[in-house]
Amino acid sequence: DTAVSQTPKYLVTQMGNDKSIKCEQNLGHDTMYWYKQDSKKFLKIMFSYNNKELIINETVPNRFSPKSPDKAHLNLHINSLELGDSAVYFCASSRVGGASSYEQYFGPGTRLTVT
Amino acid sequence: TQLLEQSPQFLSIQEGENLTVYCNSSSVFSSLQWYRQEPGEGPVLLVTVVTGGEVKKLKRLTFQFGDARKDSSLHITAAQPGDTGLYLCAGAPRGGTASKLTFGTGTRLQVTL
């Protein structure tokens, strides 16, 4: 059973296009996240949703728009893609409350290449 | 901005050797986690340490949280090729949003036969 899944695994597109990445978790968690990992493997949080409500919104261009239709899904839509958007994007989820709220479960990642 | 510096950045050792990875910050964290990431996959949680001075063991891996909760170390005994991967520490800020982790700069470990 896949705990956190993302689609697609790979995404190659041209500058200026709009694309979406989808994420689903079957762990029953209330909180979901989007992270960006750059070429140096630095992992940085972009957004976090708790039960469909946006709770973390880091300094991210407004071309990036997350959407959470329900607490098991968190999608990421990117408008007007730029070369600098090329990276691996990870979805993650965690519980709410207690020590386990620190523990995040990651998806396999989506490698986005903008040409 | 909280920053977690890991050292070394890269480590290439032979099977059977011991190694230690360090994770340092000038900030205090309420808890600290270690993850391992293999190529083409997402990070996988190894351990969470919460109390200053805490030591946790996971088979051949020993994790320690500094007394002041600003730093942590990961020691691997008798490394094996299966230990190869990117090791990431991540800290949860004191008084902040518990779920907002700051990830370290990463240590890439390669264990060869």
Side-chain angles (χ1 to χ4, degrees), chain A residues 9 31 33 35 37 39-45 48 55-56 58 90 94-95 99 101-109 111, chain B residues 3-4 30-31 33 35 37 40-45 47-48 50 86 88 92 97-106 108:
Chain A
K9 175 78 172 168
T31 307
Y33 313 81
Y35 285 88
Q37 189 172 47
S39 57
K40 294 185 178 179
K41 303 300 183 184
F42 187 64
L43 199 61
K44 189 167 184 214
I45 191 167
S48 176
I55 57 170
I56 297 174
E58 292 297 285
F90 287 100
S94 69
R95 297 179 196 280
S101 65
Y102 306 145
E103 299 172 351
Q104 299 190 8
Y105 294 78
F106 285 82
R111 181 176 292 277
Chain B
L3 194 63
L4 275 167
S30 62
S31 71
Q33 301 175 331
Y35 292 81
Q37 184 180 11
E41 297 181 12
V44 175
L45 178 68
V47 78
T48 300
V50 180
L86 177 70
L88 296 164
T97 306
S99 55
K100 184 179 175 182
L101 295 178
T102 297
F103 277 83
T105 48
R108 192 184 299 277

Side-chain angles (χ1 to χ4, degrees), chain A:
Chain A
D1 287 343
T2 303
V4 182
S5 59
Q6 292 179 230
T7 54
K9 175 78 172 168
Y10 300 97
L11 188 51
V12 181
T13 187
Q14 290 185 325
M15 283 174 54
N17 285 348
D18 304 337
K19 291 293 178 184
S20 291
I21 308 172
K22 295 187 176 183
C23 177
E24 176 181 2
Q25 55 94 5
N26 62 6
L27 296 168
H29 289 165
D30 293 303
T31 307
M32 296 184 73
Y33 313 81
W34 278 112
Y35 285 88
K36 180 180 180 181
Q37 189 172 47
D38 60 25
S39 57
K40 294 185 178 179
K41 303 300 183 184
F42 187 64
L43 199 61
K44 189 167 184 214
I45 191 167
M46 300 172 67
F47 302 103
S48 176
Y49 271 75
N50 177 249
N51 205 11
K52 302 192 295 176
E53 182 182 344
L54 182 66
I55 57 170
I56 297 174
N57 185 351
E58 292 297 285
T59 310
V60 177
N62 58 15
R63 298 181 294 103
F64 290 78
S65 52
K67 279 192 174 57
S68 182
D70 55 62
K71 72 176 189 177
H73 296 83
L74 180 61
N75 304 323
L76 183 65
H77 187 76
I78 315 170
N79 289 325
S80 304
L81 278 154
E82 300 177 357
L83 292 176
D85 297 332
S86 295
V88 181
Y89 291 84
F90 287 100
C91 177
S93 71
S94 69
R95 297 179 196 280
V96 174
S100 62
S101 65
Y102 306 145
E103 299 172 351
Q104 299 190 8
Y105 294 78
F106 285 82
T110 296
R111 181 176 292 277
L112 171 65
T113 303
V114 183
T115 61

Side-chain angles (χ1 to χ4, degrees), chain B residues 6-75:
Chain B
Q6 288 184 236
S7 60
Q9 275 188 294
F10 302 98
L11 194 52
S12 182
I13 61 172
Q14 290 192 317
E15 184 180 19
E17 291 184 32
N18 301 332
L19 68 115
T20 302
V21 177
Y22 299 94
C23 173
N24 294 297
S25 176
S26 57
S27 303
V28 177
F29 294 98
S30 62
S31 71
L32 198 134
Q33 301 175 331
W34 285 91
Y35 292 81
R36 179 169 66 215
Q37 184 180 11
E38 299 188 19
E41 297 181 12
V44 175
L45 178 68
L46 296 174
V47 78
T48 300
V49 284
V50 180
T51 307
E54 182 177 3
V55 176
K56 277 191 175 177
K57 289 194 174 185
L58 185 67
K59 297 184 181 177
R60 294 175 294 100
L61 278 60
T62 302
F63 305 85
Q64 184 163 8
F65 200 11
D67 291 340
R69 294 156 76 170
K70 294 182 179 181
D71 53 81
S72 180
S73 63
L74 157 60
H75 182 79

